[in-house]
Amino acid sequence: MIKSPYRILTYFILLLLVAIGTGWLVNDLAWVLAITLLGWSAYHLIMLVLTLRWVSSKKADPPELPGIWGDLVYTFYRKQKSHRDREAALTSIINRYQQSSAALKDAVVIVDAQDRLEWWNSAAEDLLGLKPLIDRHKSILNLLRDPRFIRYYKRRQYQDPLELLSPINDQITLQYSITHFGEGDRLLVARDISRMKQLEQVRQSFVSNASHELRTPLTVMRGYLETFLDQELPRPLMRGLQQMEQQAHRMEGLVRDMLMLSRLESTRHVTDEYPIDIHQLLSDIKRDAIVLSADKAHPIELIMDPDYDLVGQDNELHSAFSNLVFNAVRYTPAQTPIVIRWQITDTEAILSVEDKGPGIEAYHIPRLTERFYRIDESRSSESGGTGLGLSIVKHVVIRHGGQLKIHSQIGLGSRFCCHFPLDHIIRLENLTSPPHNN
Ligand code: ADP
C-alpha cells in the first residue's frame, strides 16, 4: 500500500528548499533550481517508464523500484493479483455450473429479452435439435416452430407446463416449463417424459380394456336377473334378486363412467368439435332431471342467452352438464329450486348449475373432482352415484379449453360453473347445421 500519498510533496518541497539554499550559497539560484528540477523530472520519468514497461509486459512479478514508485507498483500488483484470483474463482464456479447443467438429462436453454438463444446444454442439442455455434443468437421462435409452443411462449405466464412431441424425434414427448429471471431473460427446461407417458398409456388402456371386458358379463347377469324378477318367486328370494339387480345396475354405471374417463384422458383436447345446439341440449337435460326428481319435485329453471351456442363435442358436453344437473337433483332435498344458466360475458361463457341444497364444506371442494372422492359415502351410493361424475365434468371442461369452478356454502347451496373461453362460442346466425353425434 502507498504509505502516504503526500510524502512525495514533502520530498519535493524539501528538495526545493535545499536547491534554494544551495543556489543562494553559490550565488546562482536559477541554475541550481533548473538542474534540481531537471534531475527530479528525469528520475520520475525513468520510474514511469519502468512502471509502464511492467504494466504492459506479461510479467507477473513487479520490478523492484525505490520509494513511492515501489509502493505504487506493489499496490497495483496486489490489486491485480486479487482481481485475478477473484476472476479465477468465478470462472471455476461458471465452469462447474456449465458442467453440471451439461450433465443434466433435461434440456436447459437460456433465452434473452429479445427471444434470442444465449446458452444451452448438450441435452438441448439431443432433444430440441439446437446446433452449437450455428443457432447461437437466433430467435427461439424460429427454431421451435410448433404453433402450440409459440402460443405458450408468447403468453408469458407459465404456471402450467406444456407437453409436446420433440421437434426432431416424434418418439419423444417433452414437457416444457419456462421461468423468468434477470431483466427479461427466460430459462426454458424441456424434460423427456416419454417413459411416464408410456406408463400412463398402459394404465389407461388397462382401465379401458378391463371396463370393456366387464360389460359383457354384466349384461348377461342383468338379463338373467330381469328374467328371474319377472317370475313368481318366494318373497325373500325376490328381495335378494332386486338388490342384485340394483348393484348390477350400479356396476354398469361405474363401467360406463370408467370407460368415459379413460377415453377423455387419452387425448388432451377435443379433436372433433362442432357447433352444439346448447338450447336443445340443456332442455333435454332439464326434461331428464324432472324425471329423475320424480316425487321430490324440484322446481328447475333454465335461463339461457338466446344468441350464443357452444362449439365442442356433443356427447362429452351432454355427459358433463347432465352430471352437474343430476347431482343437484340427487343431493338436494325435495322441492328446493335448481337453476341452470347459460350466460356470455365480455371475456368468457359460463354454464352454471346452482342449487339451494345443503352445501359443501370448504375443505372438501378442492378434492371433489378426484376420482371416487365422496363427501358422504352412504348418501352417494344411495343416490346411485359412481364417484366419477365431477371428475368427468372437470376433464370435459378442460378438453374444451375451460375450467370448472365450484362455489358452495353450508346451508345455502352450491354453484358449479363451467367457464369456457370465447373461442369456443359461436353466434347463432353463424351456426351451420349441427351434426348429430348420438
Ligand atoms: P357421485 O357419483 O358420488 O355423485 P360426483 O363426482 O358426481 O360423484 O360428486 C362427488 C361428491 O360431491 C358427491 O359424492 C357429493 O357428496 C358431492 N356433491 C356433488 N354435487 C353436489 C351438490 N350439488 N350438492 C352437494 N354435494 C354435492
Side-chain angles (χ1 to χ4, degrees):
M1 208 171 82
I2 299 174
K3 284 171 197 143
S4 164
Y6 302 108
R7 203 163 41 133
I8 192 164
L9 277 179
T10 319
Y11 288 160
F12 185 61
I13 291 165
L14 277 175
L15 194 73
L16 273 183
L17 288 176
V18 171
I20 290 168
T22 316
W24 183 69
L25 277 177
V26 297
N27 209 12
D28 203 344
L29 186 61
W31 267 105
V32 174
L33 262 181
I35 290 168
T36 309
L37 287 176
L38 209 68
W40 169 267
S41 306
Y43 167 75
H44 285 292
L45 207 65
I46 291 166
M47 292 298 128
L48 182 66
V49 168
L50 289 176
T51 307
L52 288 176
R53 215 172 64 181
W54 171 68
V55 169
S56 53
S57 77
K58 290 207 169 81
K59 267 196 217 152
D61 293 336
E64 296 267 342
L65 296 182
I68 191 117
W69 286 97
D71 293 352
L72 183 73
V73 164
Y74 186 65
T75 309
F76 184 75
Y77 165 76
R78 281 202 23 205
K79 287 212 164 130
Q80 202 188 35
K81 188 168 178 312
S82 92
H83 179 75
R84 260 204 306 264
D85 290 349
R86 245 199 340 259
E87 199 179 77
L90 281 174
T91 312
S92 127
I93 291 173
I94 291 173
N95 283 344
R96 277 176 69 78
Y97 170 75
Q98 289 199 339
Q99 276 164 6
S100 60
S101 320
L104 275 177
K105 289 200 173 73
D106 301 340
V108 181
V109 182
I110 294 178
V111 187
D112 71 12
Q114 281 74 44
D115 305 329
R116 288 176 310 214
L117 298 174
E118 231 174 50
W119 178 89
W120 60 85
N121 64 354
S122 53
E125 289 160 19
D126 302 337
L127 296 174
L128 304 173
L130 301 185
K131 293 178 207 72
L133 303 177
I134 301 173
D135 289 337
R136 195 166 299 274
H137 301 308
K138 280 192 185 161
S139 166
I140 187 166
L141 299 175
N142 288 340
L143 296 164
L144 304 178
R145 306 172 82 115
D146 189 311
R148 281 165 295 176
F149 178 81
I150 295 177
R151 256 200 317 274
Y152 176 72
Y153 183 84
K154 286 190 171 165
R155 214 187 311 144
R156 292 185 165 267
Q157 281 176 354
Y158 309 116
Q159 287 95 334
D160 298 322
L162 171 77
E163 282 176 24
L164 283 180
L165 292 181
S166 155
I168 51 162
N169 183 349
D170 59 11
Q171 301 297 312
I172 297 179
T173 309
L174 295 177
Q175 187 183 59
Y176 291 93
S177 44
I178 302 181
T179 316
H180 291 282
F181 76 101
E183 289 173 12
D185 301 312
R186 275 172 269 189
L187 179 79
L188 175 131
V189 178
R191 171 170 302 162
D192 180 354
I193 54 161
S194 318
R195 180 145 173 74
M196 225 166 73
K197 276 268 152 200
Q198 274 164 8
L199 289 174
E200 180 62 16
Q201 262 158 19
V202 170
R203 185 192 67 79
Q204 275 174 18
S205 62
F206 172 76
V207 174
S208 162
N209 291 340
S211 316
H212 201 77
E213 291 300 320
L214 279 169
R215 274 166 91 169
T216 319
L218 263 173
T219 315
V220 175
M221 273 162 65
R222 275 203 74 192
Y224 276 115
L225 284 168
E226 274 167 21
T227 317
F228 292 149
L229 282 167
D230 284 343
Q231 314 292 315
E232 286 288 324
L233 292 171
R235 200 180 260 261
L237 198 59
M238 232 20 195
R239 222 179 301 128
L241 285 172
Q242 269 163 0
Q243 273 186 15
M244 281 166 78
E245 213 262 341
Q246 265 172 18
Q247 293 305 322
H249 181 68
R250 214 179 130 222
M251 254 171 105
E252 266 182 353
L254 258 171
V255 167
R256 186 198 57 230
D257 282 0
M258 276 162 68
L259 266 173
M260 172 98 185
L261 250 185
S262 68
R263 205 171 54 72
L264 293 176
E265 284 175 337
S266 61
T267 54
R268 256 183 104 77
H269 302 280
V270 184
T271 45
D272 49 345
E273 288 182 344
Y274 301 102
I276 309 277
D277 184 348
I278 195 155
H279 303 84
Q280 185 61 47
L281 185 106
L282 293 179
S283 305
D284 290 350
I285 292 175
K286 179 183 166 181
R287 194 194 54 224
D288 294 344
I290 291 169
V291 175
L292 182 70
S293 172
D295 295 345
K296 285 164 90 186
H298 294 90
I300 303 177
E301 193 183 355
L302 189 52
I303 303 171
M304 292 194 277
D305 185 314
D307 298 330
Y308 292 92
D309 268 348
L310 185 58
V311 177
Q313 218 282 328
D314 202 2
N315 289 338
E316 289 185 18
L317 291 168
H318 183 280
S319 171
F321 299 160
S322 59
N323 261 312
L324 294 180
V325 179
F326 296 168
N327 272 354
V329 172
R330 288 202 304 249
Y331 296 114
T332 59
Q335 288 168 10
T336 48
I338 295 168
V339 182
I340 308 168
R341 193 177 276 114
W342 168 242
Q343 63 182 118
I344 315 292
T345 70
D346 288 345
T347 51
E348 58 185 354
I350 308 167
L351 181 289
S352 63
V353 178
E354 193 174 341
D355 65 57
K356 298 265 178 280
I360 302 163
E361 295 213 60
Y363 67 89
H364 285 300
I365 293 179
R367 300 198 58 194
L368 281 184
T369 53
E370 284 174 21
R371 271 160 246 203
F372 300 112
Y373 187 83
R374 277 136 167 191
I375 296 171
D376 180 343
E377 187 68 38
S378 60
R379 263 188 62 202
S380 295
S381 327
E382 223 170 78
S383 68
T386 60
L388 296 173
L390 290 178
S391 193
I392 290 178
V393 178
K394 185 180 99 174
H395 274 88
V396 169
V397 178
I398 289 176
R399 279 162 61 81
H400 286 78
Q403 213 185 346
L404 171 69
K405 290 187 183 163
I406 305 171
H407 312 269
S408 191
Q409 261 185 300
I410 285 290
L412 293 178
S414 315
R415 197 166 80 245
F416 292 78
C417 301
C418 307
H419 296 254
F420 296 99
L422 290 182
D423 57 11
H424 274 74
I425 306 307
I426 189 163
R427 260 192 98 87
L428 270 180
E429 65 243 34
N430 300 333
L431 193 63
T432 51
S433 57
H436 212 75
N437 289 332
N438 290 329

